[in-house]
Amino acid sequence: MLRYTVRFASSGMRPAGGLTGMADKGGERELPQRFRGDARAATSPSGSPAAPVLSAGGEVTTPLVRSRNGLGGTSLPDPRDSGRAGSADAAQERPRAANAGPPTEDEVTEWIGTAGKSPEVAPGVAPDTEPDAEAESASWLGAGLAALIVIPALVIGSLTVVAVRHFTGTRAPSATAAGQEAATRHEAAVRGQAAAWIAQQVSRGVAVSCDQVMCAALEARGFPARDLLVLGPVSRDPRSSAVVVETGAVRALFGTSLDRAWAPAVLASFGSGAAGITVRVVASHGAVAYQTALAGDMAAAKAAAARLLADRRISVQTSARSQLTEGLVDLRLLSALTALSRHQPVSVVDFGNVGTGASPGVPLRFADLSATGQAAATVRSVLSGLDTTFRPVRTVPVVLPDGRSVLRVEFTAPSPLRA
């Protein structure tokens, strides 16, 4: 603890209105000391308040309590308490210079007068305030303003998400149902096309393998139920039939084994993708045996075509001639044309197959003849009298894309191959 002493020359020099009165009332009593900027009294190391002491010898001893930073003086400001006192306090608390000498009587009197006053009335001393509390209040105010902004935004966003999910959720099932309905209609349309083609182009008495739905469609088109073999998880494979209708359900049952092993040749195809349907020729003895039989049949067709081209009563246009020479025409059709030429001249416009997607090498089963009027009636009469093996399934007038009218002589599928 640091002390500084004020000495007076004589007892008569003691302050008249300050220290004398106080010393008369209690010369041995220490005056309590209060520090500027702090409502609580500072204590000495022993725990009693630090205050100036007026001794009997006329000396006023003022104990200086160390501030929190350990420096001497009446009360040095703490850097952390910079906001607690104004500029007047800073001016009052400036430490005295080392050579300034002892304080004057006025300084002591002023200090004692100030020490006895409360912080509220002490001149130049600011009331006890807490900067942390002020900062905390400002922080709470900012948090409140942020909450007023963020909470409504979150509520609006949540309501928006709920509304979007609600409306899209109600529309999604309808859109999905509409898509499924459209897909179902498309599958039904493709199935109808395939069923109509099979009912018209496949021979009666030929076994046809198909899934349950397809077989029902064929039966509805007039195909004999006795010639239908329904395929399913526990059914036998389609090798016992002559034609297999490959739908999505059949592909799920047999995978790629149909086109690789049991049914390598395509008669016609309808649609595409999952709804696609393919009508295939069944190779009861395997794909290799089928290709061998097909090659032998083409060789026989080439020989028959050479004889037909040599017949002067049969005329063949250029496009149809190349089909003959390549052995692409069904042997049954070649035999029918040869028999017809014995009754009247025959003019062949072209050869072909009904439907699309047939595999290369599949025999062409119809011939368009240039015959109208009485010539067409004669053709029908002659062909209807042939043996059933060489009798066409139908003979009908057709208008070609170029506008010409022809008589189409047509055989059913599949073309019988020589073993």
Side-chain angles (χ1 to χ4, degrees):
M1 174 184 298
L2 299 179
R3 297 174 181 270
Y4 62 86
T5 304
V6 180
R7 297 181 181 274
F8 298 96
S10 65
S11 61
M13 296 179 64
R14 294 178 182 177
L19 298 177
T20 304
M22 293 181 182
D24 293 341
K25 293 180 182 179
E28 300 300 326
R29 183 179 178 182
E30 295 182 353
L31 297 178
Q33 177 184 1
R34 291 182 181 270
F35 292 96
R36 298 183 185 89
D38 194 347
R40 293 168 296 182
T43 59
S44 64
S46 62
S48 61
V53 179
L54 181 62
S55 65
E59 296 180 353
V60 178
T61 303
T62 305
L64 301 182
V65 181
R66 291 180 181 270
S67 65
R68 284 175 292 179
N69 57 9
L71 298 177
T74 57
S75 176
L76 293 181
D78 193 332
R80 293 170 297 179
D81 299 334
S82 60
R84 297 186 180 182
S87 61
D89 295 338
Q92 294 176 6
E93 292 183 355
R94 286 195 297 268
R96 294 173 56 86
N99 58 356
T104 64
E105 179 182 358
D106 294 337
E107 291 177 343
V108 175
T109 304
E110 180 182 358
W111 183 89
I112 294 174
T114 304
K117 295 181 181 180
S118 64
E120 288 78 8
V121 299
V125 179
D128 186 16
T129 57
E130 293 292 340
D132 293 341
E134 294 178 1
E136 183 177 358
S137 300
S139 176
W140 277 104
L141 178 60
L145 293 176
L148 291 177
I149 297 173
V150 173
I151 292 176
L154 291 177
V155 171
I156 294 173
S158 301
L159 292 177
T160 303
V161 171
V162 171
V164 169
R165 288 183 178 179
H166 172 73
F167 289 107
T168 56
T170 55
R171 294 179 182 177
S174 60
T176 303
Q180 292 178 349
E181 183 179 355
T184 301
R185 289 197 301 267
H186 177 65
E187 291 177 1
V190 174
R191 188 185 306 112
Q193 296 173 7
W197 186 91
I198 294 170
Q200 183 186 53
Q201 295 294 319
V202 176
S203 303
R204 296 298 186 267
V206 171
V208 176
S209 296
C210 48
D211 64 64
Q212 185 174 4
V213 178
M214 190 70 216
C215 286
L218 287 174
E219 190 173 353
R221 292 281 182 171
F223 203 87
R226 63 179 182 273
D227 296 334
L228 297 175
L229 174 62
V230 179
L231 298 175
V234 295
S235 65
R236 55 186 178 178
D237 58 62
R239 284 181 292 181
S240 59
S241 59
V243 173
V244 59
V245 184
E246 184 185 20
T247 59
V250 173
R251 282 191 292 272
L253 290 174
F254 302 102
T256 60
S257 60
L258 286 176
D259 56 329
R260 292 182 178 180
W262 299 338
V266 177
L267 294 174
S269 60
F270 306 89
S272 61
I277 296 177
T278 303
V279 183
R280 294 179 172 273
V281 178
V282 174
S284 57
H285 300 288
V288 176
Y290 175 84
Q291 295 297 337
T292 301
L294 182 61
D297 200 74
M298 291 179 68
K302 288 180 182 180
R307 292 191 296 268
L308 188 144
L309 292 173
D311 191 339
R312 295 182 179 181
R313 295 176 64 85
I314 300 175
S315 61
V316 181
Q317 294 187 7
T318 305
S319 58
R321 184 179 294 271
S322 61
Q323 294 170 326
L324 283 172
T325 57
E326 292 176 7
L328 300 179
V329 181
D330 192 305
L331 283 172
R332 296 170 299 174
L333 183 54
L334 293 176
S335 299
L337 293 177
T338 301
L340 180 60
S341 66
R342 299 191 183 101
H343 297 273
Q344 67 179 46
V346 177
S347 176
V348 179
V349 176
D350 60 8
F351 298 97
N353 280 325
V354 176
T356 59
S359 297
V362 171
L364 305 176
R365 299 186 307 274
F366 75 72
D368 290 333
L369 306 180
S370 179
T372 59
Q374 186 60 40
T378 303
V379 171
R380 290 194 186 94
S381 177
V382 171
L383 294 179
S384 61
L386 295 178
D387 185 84
T388 56
T389 305
F390 308 107
R391 185 187 303 165
V393 66
R394 66 184 60 88
T395 304
V396 294
V398 175
V399 178
L400 299 178
D402 59 4
R404 288 182 296 173
S405 297
V406 296
L407 186 68
R408 179 163 293 177
V409 178
E410 187 175 354
F411 285 82
T412 55
S415 300
L417 299 179
R418 299 181 181 183

